[in-house]
Amino acid sequence: MPQLILTDFDGTLFPKEKQELSKEFIQKIINLTNRGTYFAVNSGRPYGTLKKLLAPLINRTVFICNDGAQIMYKNCLLYKNPVCAIKANEICHKANTNTLKPFAALRERNVPITDDVMAKKRLFGEEIYKLIFVKNNPLSEDVSQLKKLAEQKGLRICYEDAEYLEFCNKSSDKGVATDFLIKKFGITGEVIAFGDTKGDFPMFERADRVFIPTTAKDFTFNGAKTVEDVQQFIINEL
């Protein structure tokens, strides 16, 4: 029996075609955690969204949120690595264009960073775990200077596609969060990880066994095995 189960959320635990937890999966996690296994969701999503989607397991799940910058367990903050508010302000001013809309990932939710907010040095008065920029016009927006400034300020790109560009601290990733949990909970037994993107590699590197859903096409990791349905695999095999 594994001592720690780590899983990515979107595309892994929740594939696009199935956006819910099965009753059998919920009961399986309850049984595993009763026997001493820790179950952790390792995601780029904010805590508020994750705890709603995992409501039946809210007190059974360790929530690694915002690409490893925040860890919540039983509604308590275990770990944080926030972005400096002054640096966040400078980066948002650089991106203050008609085609980029900035958001801040806070403890519970993502909120827009408006001109009024940017006028304050402390921004929201609470810690920011990630900066998110929505590309309203991806074809015309040049984000190269924004990326350069973010790197100079000690941030890294944790996600980018045609619609979004996201930054967190360079010292935040899913592997650092995994290391923290292993130390925090005294994990000496088997660690199992499930994921479907390169952002999961740091987590995979800490795991004894790695599994990738078959929907993650053209995606490999040395020694990883593929599974058709992560929830069903956990129900049947763990």
Side-chain angles (χ1 to χ4, degrees):
M1 183 180 75
Q3 195 174 0
L4 175 61
I5 299 170
L6 296 150
T7 179
D8 174 54
F9 191 77
D10 293 294
T12 304
L13 188 65
F14 269 32
K16 291 182 179 180
E17 66 275 9
K18 183 169 69 174
Q19 296 291 306
E20 62 182 5
L21 302 175
S22 70
K23 293 181 179 178
E24 294 80 7
F25 178 79
I26 292 169
Q27 188 57 54
K28 182 67 175 187
I29 296 302
I30 290 172
N31 293 342
L32 285 169
T33 53
N34 281 343
R35 294 161 59 189
T37 295
Y38 287 95
F39 172 67
V41 170
N42 207 341
S43 174
R45 285 182 179 253
Y47 177 53
T49 300
L50 289 173
K51 68 180 182 180
K52 288 179 181 178
L53 294 169
L54 289 150
L57 295 171
I58 190 168
N59 289 319
R60 304 277 180 166
T61 303
V62 181
F63 295 92
I64 303 173
C65 319
N66 293 312
D67 293 287
Q70 174 193 11
I71 302 178
M72 305 292 296
Y73 185 45
K74 297 183 178 180
N75 209 37
C76 294
L77 180 66
L78 297 187
Y79 171 87
K80 63 179 181 179
N81 188 9
V83 175
C84 169
I86 295 174
K87 293 179 181 179
N89 202 322
E90 292 177 11
I91 293 168
C92 288
H93 275 288
K94 182 71 174 181
N96 190 19
T97 70
N98 293 328
T99 54
L100 276 180
K101 187 174 182 180
F103 287 78
L106 306 181
R107 173 182 164 123
E108 296 279 342
R109 67 203 188 283
N110 297 338
V111 296
I113 302 175
T114 62
D115 289 340
D116 289 344
V117 170
M118 281 191 282
K120 305 173 184 176
K121 288 185 178 180
R122 292 289 299 168
L123 296 180
F124 296 96
E126 62 176 289
E127 290 171 321
I128 298 171
Y129 294 102
K130 188 165 65 172
L131 293 175
I132 303 165
F133 297 92
V134 178
K135 302 174 184 177
N136 293 326
N137 192 351
L139 296 179
S140 66
E141 183 65 37
D142 181 5
V143 295
S144 59
Q145 292 303 310
L146 179 62
K147 291 179 179 178
K148 183 177 180 180
L149 177 61
E151 183 178 7
Q152 290 173 349
K153 298 298 180 182
L155 306 187
R156 69 176 181 87
I157 299 171
C158 50
Y159 183 79
E160 183 178 13
D161 64 12
E163 297 179 351
Y164 298 97
L165 175 60
E166 302 181 3
F167 299 100
C168 64
N169 282 326
K170 289 181 180 179
S171 54
S172 288
D173 65 33
K174 293 184 176 184
V176 173
T178 299
D179 285 339
F180 175 85
L181 288 187
I182 290 172
K183 184 177 181 180
K184 174 71 177 179
F185 296 131
I187 303 295
T188 57
E190 186 179 41
V191 176
I192 295 178
F194 300 85
D196 69 334
T197 68
K198 289 183 178 180
D200 296 314
F201 279 9
M203 173 178 68
F204 289 169
E205 290 168 355
R206 276 74 170 180
D208 299 295
R209 286 194 288 162
V210 172
F211 298 92
I212 298 171
T214 54
T215 51
K217 297 179 181 179
D218 301 320
F219 175 73
T220 61
F221 182 82
N222 187 35
K225 296 182 179 179
T226 57
V227 296
E228 289 191 12
D229 185 307
V230 171
Q231 289 189 42
Q232 201 61 45
F233 178 86
I234 291 174
I235 292 168
N236 295 335
E237 304 296 333
L238 301 185

